[in-house]
Amino acid sequence: MSANDPAHTAPPLIAGLLLAAGGGRRLGGRPKALLPYRGRPLVENAVRVLREAGCGPVHVVLGASAAEVRERADLSGCVVVDNPDWAQGMGSSLRVGLASLAGTGAGAALVSLVDQPGIGPAAVARVLGAYRSPTSLAAAAYEGERGHPVLFGADRWADIAATATGDKGARVHLARHAEELMLVECADIAEAFDIDTPPDLARLL
């Protein structure tokens, strides 16, 4: 293979993995994916952000009210998977999402959360830029504090899936490999707030 061969120079696929299964327990049971944002369901904004940043393919994990989300939100072009165990916490959604990426050829997964509309394409693209190899491990940071999105090289997926339980998500893997984690400062271009409680809904206006 020559250096000029397109297959040699093509950038690796980095899949966008959107976790959108939450039931919004502290929001009175309103599924976060369907919260209104700029006239459309919040999940559509999160998908747009991943695509505009350069992720592809985009996989979306649904849970609470999955059938209603599929009906009301435009998720065309996405691979949509359901997590029947979504109530067990983020870890189960992360496992389902990583499993859905098997066979895609992606070199990494960029994991984002549906309820963080303050994180736009610029921040996601900055984290994508930290990819070096299938062993890459990177996360956005906000004034030095680790946040989302998080980039997991494909070689790490099996261990992450094996240790992702409850609401811990990938925290066990991140703690074990803290010295390998590249923090990508994004506080200058994004806000990492979550939509968790009724007062937070004002941020969607």
Side-chain angles (χ1 to χ4, degrees):
M1 181 183 297
S2 71
N4 295 323
D5 190 314
H8 180 84
T9 57
L13 285 176
I14 300 181
L17 179 54
L18 175 62
L19 305 186
R25 178 177 52 83
R26 287 181 285 174
L27 292 168
R30 301 170 65 186
K32 290 186 175 184
L34 289 177
L35 292 174
Y37 182 62
R38 297 178 179 175
R40 297 297 303 167
L42 188 58
V43 66
E44 291 183 14
N45 174 73
V47 167
R48 176 191 60 80
V49 167
L50 290 174
R51 285 183 172 148
E52 290 186 4
C55 292
V58 173
H59 287 219
V60 181
V61 181
L62 300 180
S65 302
E68 186 181 1
V69 176
R70 287 173 180 268
E71 179 181 342
R72 292 177 50 191
D74 180 4
L75 299 176
S76 56
C78 298
V79 175
V80 183
V81 292
D82 291 345
N83 174 19
D85 301 319
W86 63 268
Q88 295 180 9
M90 187 188 303
S92 64
S93 290
L94 184 56
R95 292 196 304 272
V96 167
L98 290 175
S100 76
L101 293 173
T104 61
L110 189 290
V111 180
S112 68
L113 307 181
V114 74
D115 67 340
Q116 293 189 320
I119 300 174
V124 175
R126 191 177 283 184
V127 177
L128 287 181
Y131 177 84
R132 298 293 181 271
S133 75
T135 63
S136 289
L137 184 64
Y142 301 90
E143 297 183 352
E145 294 294 320
R146 176 175 58 80
H148 282 87
V150 184
L151 179 78
F152 299 118
D155 288 356
R156 298 182 178 274
W157 295 353
D159 184 66
I160 292 169
T163 57
T165 58
D167 272 326
K168 293 180 180 178
R171 290 177 194 164
V172 172
H173 184 87
L174 290 168
R176 289 177 178 173
H177 301 275
E179 294 183 357
E180 301 162 48
L181 176 65
M182 178 185 297
L183 291 179
V184 182
E185 185 57 51
C186 292
D188 59 318
I189 53 174
E191 294 182 272
F193 59 83
D194 301 320
I195 306 298
D196 283 332
T197 64
D200 296 334
L201 295 174
R203 291 180 175 268
L204 295 176
L205 300 177

